[in-house]
């Protein structure tokens, strides 16, 4: 895989979404922006994201003069710009004169003009107009020395159910199923409820007022939505590839909010293949009353490693907030020090940027109270601006020991969005307790607490590079993936799986004969049934002489070749295996049959870490809530020591390192204030 270095001047990128089109009637604001950009130590700005109405105020009548001036101002202070294509938000004239660009929802209702992401990906007119706009942008700015990269649209998502999309869905299905309705009906199990399809025209996308319980169809629809979205994106970038082949292209990915788990509307593992650089928008809900800061920090780390692993190279934080957002249930401001800490965490896990939405707060509309670098007071003396400037100065000083540095992991955890779709669709288990994404984050957290890096991978990723492979709750597991797992363990790898794994195939059909033969051989067990718990139900698993609470799920297991490491204490499966270990050729396989507490995970995974002699980047003793993460280059590594607690923490460093910002040599006891970060360098 070709590695793309985002910056060509070795600078960490600091800045964000800049919307000068909102301020064209305020020339003093636009002049003021440049001075504030310098004061904030910012250097990179995404422009044009929502600017279509300003760039093309009437059909085929363009105005780029204002954008020319903005770009030259940024260039005059040594800044760079990321040119965004404005396709996320259409101008009103387009919806008025070409209503075919508007989406149709799942109820088959034509949407009105408004909001954003309200365009049909099948619309030939919209595809033509986006190419025309992007051609003009590339011709005008493609050779500009301050152009850093292309930013395509914004936060792709949503779906359309219009006649054109229905036809495209049918064509996609014909291609997938070799134009064979018998093959499609088998995959969708059409005989159930007499849902056999006898004509391609009978197929409609899932709808609350129509068919929505054919799980194979639902799964294929979600796959089609990803295909259609990527196809629209590829249409958009065609002129950019032709006119500016050396300029990298990205589009900003997301998490599912406010849960802050992997995004499920699209299959990013497929979308990632089409971008040069991964970028994503991170809006972690810091300071909630739902979980402690350290636990949330581990979930942020999981998502960072998820995006890094997509291309195994540094990514960009395209959007974040220096203060607060305006769409959480409670929009709490970051406490002093949290912005610096949360930004350092992004750099520690592989980002080469800290970029914000937004540069300046809007005066009106829905995001006027969303956080920004420049507040309504236009002052550089308020707390948020000062913290941004402090971070910007530190990023300037850290660039040489961060930009382009890589991350290397011996542990992989498999996340599969298609399995997520299928599991959420399954009418079984606990409808509110499946929590696939959260479950993966819980297993990941135990490695994060031990400062052991983890790649968050897809089923297409090669398993060979890893010593340990985690596959919790992989509900949908194909024979191909089962064979990959088998080969991994045969060659000496260690794999850990859990309850609700391997129940259906890639068509969301249950496996004939129960669990797949390769899984039975590898794990040495056969899952017999899954018991789903009410919140009031109680059980526990005894492991190494200690009882650990069972929550939500318990799998009844039949031992084949495996040995039992822990057993249930209650219910009709009392004294039966709940945790097993099997030696399979050169490797080992563990099956965790129940959803167990964090205390169990800490004990179990700590033992696994010791067994495999996994070492953190820096040997140190510290309390939970301190995270030590590293990025490596030839012969050296940069290490981020971060305190995600509200209390001072004393660490014991067991080796000497040099502070990257102060040149101080550190060793022995190290005191970290609440939310404090130290960035150090170590030769290897």
């Amino acid at each position: 895989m070709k590695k793309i270095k985002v910056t060509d001047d070795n600078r960490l990128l600091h800045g964000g979404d800049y919307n000068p089109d909102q301020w064209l009637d305020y020339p003093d604001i636009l002049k003021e922006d440049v001075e504030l950009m310098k004061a904030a130590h910012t250097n990179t700005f995404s422009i044009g994201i929502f600017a279509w109405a300003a760039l093309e105020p009437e059909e085929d009548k363009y105005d780029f003069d204002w954008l020319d001036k903005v770009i030259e101002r940024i260039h005059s202070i040594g800044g760079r710009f990321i040119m965004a294509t404005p396709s996320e938000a259409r101008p009103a004239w387009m919806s008025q004169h070409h209503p075919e660009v508007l989406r149709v929802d799942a109820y088959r209702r034509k949407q009105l003009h408004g909001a954003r992401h309200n365009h049909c990906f099948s619309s030939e007119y919209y595809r033509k107009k986006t190419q025309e706009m992007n051609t003009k942008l590339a011709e005008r700015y493609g050779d500009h020395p301050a152009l850093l990269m292309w930013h395509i649209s914004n936060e792709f998502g949503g779906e359309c159910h219009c006649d054109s999309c229905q036809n495209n869905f049918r064509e996609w299905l014909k291609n997938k199923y070799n134009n064979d309705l018998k093959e499609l009906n088998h995959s969708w199990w059409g005989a159930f409820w007499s849902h056999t399809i006898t004509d391609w025209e009978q197929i409609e996308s899932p709808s609350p007022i129509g068919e929505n319980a054919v799980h194979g169809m639902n799964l294929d629809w979600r796959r089609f939505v990803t295909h259609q979205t990527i196809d629209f994106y590829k249409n958009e970038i065609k002129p950019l590839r032709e006119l500016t082949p050396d300029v990298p292209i990205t589009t900003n990915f997301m998490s599912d909010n406010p849960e802050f788990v992997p995004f499920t509307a699209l299959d990013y593992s497929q979308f990632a293949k089409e971008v040069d650089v991964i970028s994503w928008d991170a809006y972690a809900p810091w300071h909630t009353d739902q979980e402690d800061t350290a636990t949330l920090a581990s979930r942020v780390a999981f998502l960072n490693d998820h995006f890094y692993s997509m291309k195994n190279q540094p990514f960009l934080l395209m959007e974040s907030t220096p203060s607060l957002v305006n769409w959480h249930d409670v929009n709490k401001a970051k406490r002093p020090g949290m912005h610096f800490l949360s930004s350092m965490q992004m750099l520690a896990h592989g980002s080469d940027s800290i970029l914000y939405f937004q540069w300046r707060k809007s005066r009106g509309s829905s995001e006027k109270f969303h956080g920004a670098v420049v507040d309504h007071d236009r002052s550089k003396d308020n707390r948020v601006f000062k913290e941004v400037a402090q971070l910007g100065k530190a990023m300037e000083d850290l660039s040489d020991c961060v930009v382009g540095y890589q991350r290397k992991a011996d542990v992989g955890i498999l996340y599969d969005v298609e399995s997520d779709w299928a599991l959420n669709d399954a009418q079984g288990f606990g409808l509110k307790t499946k929590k696939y994404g959260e479950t993966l984050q819980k297993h990941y957290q135990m490695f994060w607490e031990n400062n052991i890096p983890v790649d968050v991978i897809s089923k297409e990723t090669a398993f060979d590079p890893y010593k340990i492979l985690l596959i919790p709750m992989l509900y949908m597991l194909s024979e191909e993936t089962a064979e990959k797992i088998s080969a991994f363990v045969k060659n000496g790898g260690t794999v850990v799986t859990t309850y609700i794994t391997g129940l259906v195939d890639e068509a969301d059909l249950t496996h004939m004969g129960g669990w797949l033969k390769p899984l039975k051989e590898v794990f040495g067990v056969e899952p017999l049934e899954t018991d789903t718990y009410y919140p009031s139900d109680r059980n526990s698993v005894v492991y190494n002489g200690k009882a650990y609470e069972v929550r939500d799920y318990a799998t009844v297991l039949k031992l084949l070749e495996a040995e039992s490491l822990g057993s249930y204490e209650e219910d009709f499966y009392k004294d039966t295996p709940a945790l097993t270990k099997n030696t399979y050729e050169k490797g080992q396989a563990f099956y965790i049959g129940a959803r167990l507490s964090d205390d169990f995970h800490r004990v179990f995974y700590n033992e696994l870490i010791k067994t495999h002699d996994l070492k953190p980047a820096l040997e140190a003793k510290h309390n939970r809530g301190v995270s030590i993460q590293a990025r490596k280059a030839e012969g050296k590594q940069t290490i981020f020591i971060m305190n995600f607690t509200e209390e001072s923490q004393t660490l014991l460093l067991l080796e000497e390192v040099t502070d990257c910002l102060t040149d101080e040599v550190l060793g022995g006891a190290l005191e970290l204030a609440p939310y404090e970060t130290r960035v150090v360098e170590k030769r290897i």
Side-chain angles (χ1 to χ4, degrees):
M1 181 186 296
K2 180 183 178 183
K3 301 285 186 182
I4 302 258
K5 188 176 180 182
V6 176
T7 60
D8 56 10
D9 54 11
N10 220 43
R11 284 194 292 183
L12 287 167
L13 310 183
H14 189 220
D17 283 17
Y18 181 36
N19 302 295
D21 41 300
Q22 295 180 23
W23 301 95
L24 296 181
D25 294 333
Y26 299 82
D28 58 321
I29 292 288
L30 298 179
K31 291 180 180 178
E32 178 182 271
D33 278 332
V34 178
E35 295 306 313
L36 291 173
M37 287 171 180
K38 290 190 290 186
H41 294 273
T42 51
N43 56 43
T44 303
F45 300 91
S46 304
I47 53 177
I49 295 174
F50 305 114
W52 200 321
L55 294 170
E56 190 180 3
E58 298 178 47
E59 188 167 10
D60 297 329
K61 293 184 179 179
Y62 295 89
D63 179 9
F64 294 101
D65 290 345
W66 66 270
L67 186 54
D68 293 344
K69 295 173 184 175
V70 167
I71 288 173
E72 289 312 312
R73 287 193 187 101
I74 292 172
H75 191 211
S76 72
I77 59 171
R80 306 293 295 273
F81 69 97
I82 297 172
M83 190 73 242
T85 64
S87 61
E88 189 201 358
R90 289 172 330 286
W93 60 257
M94 188 183 294
S95 300
Q96 180 185 19
H97 298 303
H98 301 276
E100 69 272 20
V101 304
L102 295 169
R103 285 180 182 171
V104 173
D105 71 12
Y107 289 90
R108 306 316 192 246
R109 299 173 299 197
K110 190 81 165 180
Q111 302 298 284
L112 301 175
H113 177 81
R116 53 193 179 105
H117 274 316
N118 183 13
H119 51 269
C120 169
F121 289 138
S122 296
S123 168
E124 291 301 320
Y125 176 79
Y126 201 59
R127 287 178 171 233
K128 177 177 75 75
K129 286 301 294 183
T130 55
Q131 281 201 354
E132 288 177 0
M133 173 62 74
N134 296 354
T135 298
K136 291 185 179 296
L137 290 171
E139 289 174 343
R140 195 172 190 99
Y141 304 113
D143 292 328
H144 198 288
L147 175 64
L148 188 64
M149 65 193 313
W150 294 104
H151 176 328
I152 308 305
S153 193
N154 182 63
E155 296 182 338
F156 276 105
E159 56 192 50
C160 178
H161 298 259
C162 72
D163 290 343
S164 293
C165 288
Q166 301 294 345
N167 289 332
N168 286 340
F169 181 41
R170 295 179 192 118
E171 291 302 314
W172 183 87
L173 291 169
K174 288 177 184 178
N175 181 66
K176 177 177 180 180
Y177 291 107
N178 303 306
N179 208 29
D180 186 346
L181 280 174
K182 183 178 180 180
E183 188 178 337
L184 177 141
N185 278 307
H186 180 270
S187 182
W188 290 5
W189 212 244
F192 181 76
W193 284 355
S194 194
H195 284 346
T196 301
I197 301 295
T198 58
D199 188 301
W200 292 100
E201 294 301 311
Q202 295 167 4
I203 297 173
E204 290 265 359
S205 59
S207 171
I209 60 172
E211 188 53 77
N212 57 31
V214 175
H215 293 167
M217 182 184 76
N218 294 345
L219 188 57
D220 276 343
W221 171 251
R222 293 183 178 97
R223 288 166 171 154
F224 166 75
V225 169
T226 290
H227 163 81
Q228 184 84 331
T229 305
I230 293 173
D231 190 66
F232 180 87
Y233 160 89
K234 289 167 74 172
N235 180 80
E236 262 218 70
I237 69 173
K238 187 176 180 181
L240 307 180
R241 290 290 192 211
E242 292 174 352
L243 296 171
T244 59
D246 297 325
V247 179
I249 296 177
T250 192
T251 188
N252 46 340
F253 293 167
M254 297 178 282
S255 64
D256 267 354
N257 291 313
E259 293 82 6
F260 214 65
V261 294
F263 190 64
T264 56
L266 297 171
D267 185 350
Y268 279 161
S269 72
Q270 300 306 308
F271 211 149
K273 298 173 183 178
E274 307 299 333
V275 302
D276 297 320
V277 176
I278 300 295
S279 62
W280 80 288
D281 301 345
Y283 294 103
W286 299 108
H287 316 302
T288 74
D289 59 355
Q290 303 301 310
E291 61 186 345
D292 62 84
T293 306
T295 299
L296 177 59
S298 74
R299 299 205 289 122
V300 176
F302 176 95
L303 288 169
N304 278 325
D305 291 345
H306 174 46
F307 289 114
Y308 185 97
S309 303
M310 285 181 180
K311 297 188 87 70
N312 194 28
Q313 67 182 29
F315 60 89
L316 294 181
L317 176 62
M318 187 61 73
E319 289 185 23
S320 62
T321 177
S323 52
L324 44 72
V325 298
N326 69 335
W327 43 268
H328 287 159
D329 289 341
V330 176
N331 297 293
K332 197 169 188 66
K334 286 181 176 178
R335 313 331 271 169
M338 176 50 75
H339 177 55
F340 191 92
L341 171 62
S342 60
S343 299
M344 287 294 113
Q345 184 188 28
M346 291 290 167
L347 301 183
H349 283 267
S351 179
D352 278 352
S353 73
I354 303 295
L355 302 174
Y356 310 110
F357 182 85
Q358 48 194 329
W359 164 251
R360 179 185 286 274
K361 282 186 178 178
S362 303
R363 281 198 70 193
S365 203
S366 67
E367 291 179 320
K368 62 180 176 289
F369 294 121
H370 191 290
V373 179
V374 181
D375 211 327
H376 297 133
D377 61 9
R378 300 166 59 178
S379 171
K380 59 184 177 183
D381 295 322
N382 61 54
R383 178 177 71 88
V384 171
F385 191 95
K386 287 181 177 179
E387 289 198 4
V388 169
Q390 175 201 10
L391 173 66
K393 178 61 171 65
M395 290 175 67
E396 291 171 355
D397 295 338
L398 289 173
S399 287
D400 286 342
C401 56
V402 175
V403 173
Y405 280 44
Q406 308 292 320
R407 283 176 61 82
K408 173 71 171 63
D410 290 322
V411 181
I413 185 167
L414 198 159
Y415 170 73
D416 181 22
V417 71
E418 290 192 346
S419 186
D420 206 344
W421 295 336
L423 179 58
N424 282 331
D425 218 18
Q427 292 163 284
F429 311 109
L431 298 184
K432 295 182 179 180
T433 59
K434 294 172 184 173
K435 298 183 178 179
Y436 175 54
E438 292 96 323
T439 299
L440 267 67
Q441 288 175 325
K442 283 291 186 183
H443 286 259
Y444 168 96
Q445 180 182 343
M446 301 309 136
F447 291 88
W448 179 83
E449 288 184 2
N450 284 279
N451 307 315
I452 304 299
V454 177
D455 286 345
V456 183
I457 62 176
S458 78
K459 59 180 178 287
E460 295 182 2
T461 306
F463 298 162
D464 304 9
Y466 303 104
K467 294 180 179 179
I468 299 174
L469 176 65
L470 312 177
I471 51 171
M473 279 187 79
L474 189 59
Y475 168 74
M476 187 172 72
L477 199 157
S478 68
E479 292 186 12
E480 179 184 3
T481 302
E483 292 294 347
K484 279 185 68 176
I485 294 168
S486 177
F488 172 74
V489 179
K490 280 181 181 178
N491 292 324
T494 294
V495 66
V496 181
T497 196
T498 72
Y499 51 92
I500 312 182
T501 287
L503 303 189
V504 300
D505 67 10
E506 61 270 36
D508 204 1
L509 299 175
T510 58
H511 293 293
M512 294 287 286
W515 228 34
L516 288 170
K517 181 180 177 182
L519 298 181
K520 293 179 185 178
E521 292 174 346
V522 168
F523 291 96
V525 298
E526 181 178 3
L528 300 179
E529 57 182 308
T530 300
D531 193 12
T532 301
Y533 283 26
Y534 289 107
S536 59
D537 286 339
R538 292 289 179 268
N539 203 343
S540 56
V541 169
V542 175
Y543 172 64
N544 282 351
K546 183 176 179 181
Y548 297 94
E549 182 184 359
V550 176
R551 302 168 183 168
D552 302 330
Y553 300 106
T555 304
V556 182
L557 295 170
K558 176 183 177 182
L559 285 183
L560 300 177
E561 300 294 334
E563 62 175 302
S564 176
L565 300 181
S567 57
Y568 296 107
E569 284 199 302
E570 304 290 342
D571 225 305
F572 67 89
Y573 39 89
K574 179 181 178 181
D575 296 328
T576 65
L579 171 66
T580 64
K581 172 185 175 183
N582 190 45
T583 299
Y584 182 66
E585 299 207 7
K586 297 180 181 178
Q588 293 182 329
F590 294 86
Y591 190 104
I592 302 174
R595 180 171 286 172
L596 296 168
S597 62
D598 290 350
D599 287 346
F600 165 79
H601 287 152
R602 287 192 181 96
V603 171
F604 176 76
Y605 284 120
N606 281 346
E607 291 174 354
L608 216 56
I609 287 168
K610 291 178 182 176
T611 299
H612 289 76
D613 196 30
L614 301 181
K615 301 292 186 184
L618 178 64
E619 291 288 347
K621 295 181 179 180
H622 58 78
N623 295 327
R624 181 177 173 271
V626 172
S627 177
I628 300 175
Q629 302 291 326
R631 294 177 64 169
K632 299 180 181 180
E634 189 67 33
K636 57 185 176 180
Q637 56 187 348
T638 299
I639 302 168
F640 296 76
I641 309 172
M642 298 167 283
N643 179 11
F644 286 100
T645 75
E646 288 76 31
E647 297 84 30
S648 294
Q649 296 288 339
T650 300
L651 294 76
L652 180 62
L653 304 184
L654 302 180
E655 50 188 321
E656 287 190 345
V657 290
T658 303
D659 190 293
C660 293
L661 294 174
T662 67
D663 291 329
E664 180 185 2
V665 175
L666 304 175
L670 175 65
E671 186 84 8
L672 288 182
Y675 300 151
E676 185 179 4
T677 301
R678 298 293 291 265
V679 185
V680 301
E681 188 174 67
K682 171 185 168 183
R683 294 289 171 179
I684 53 176

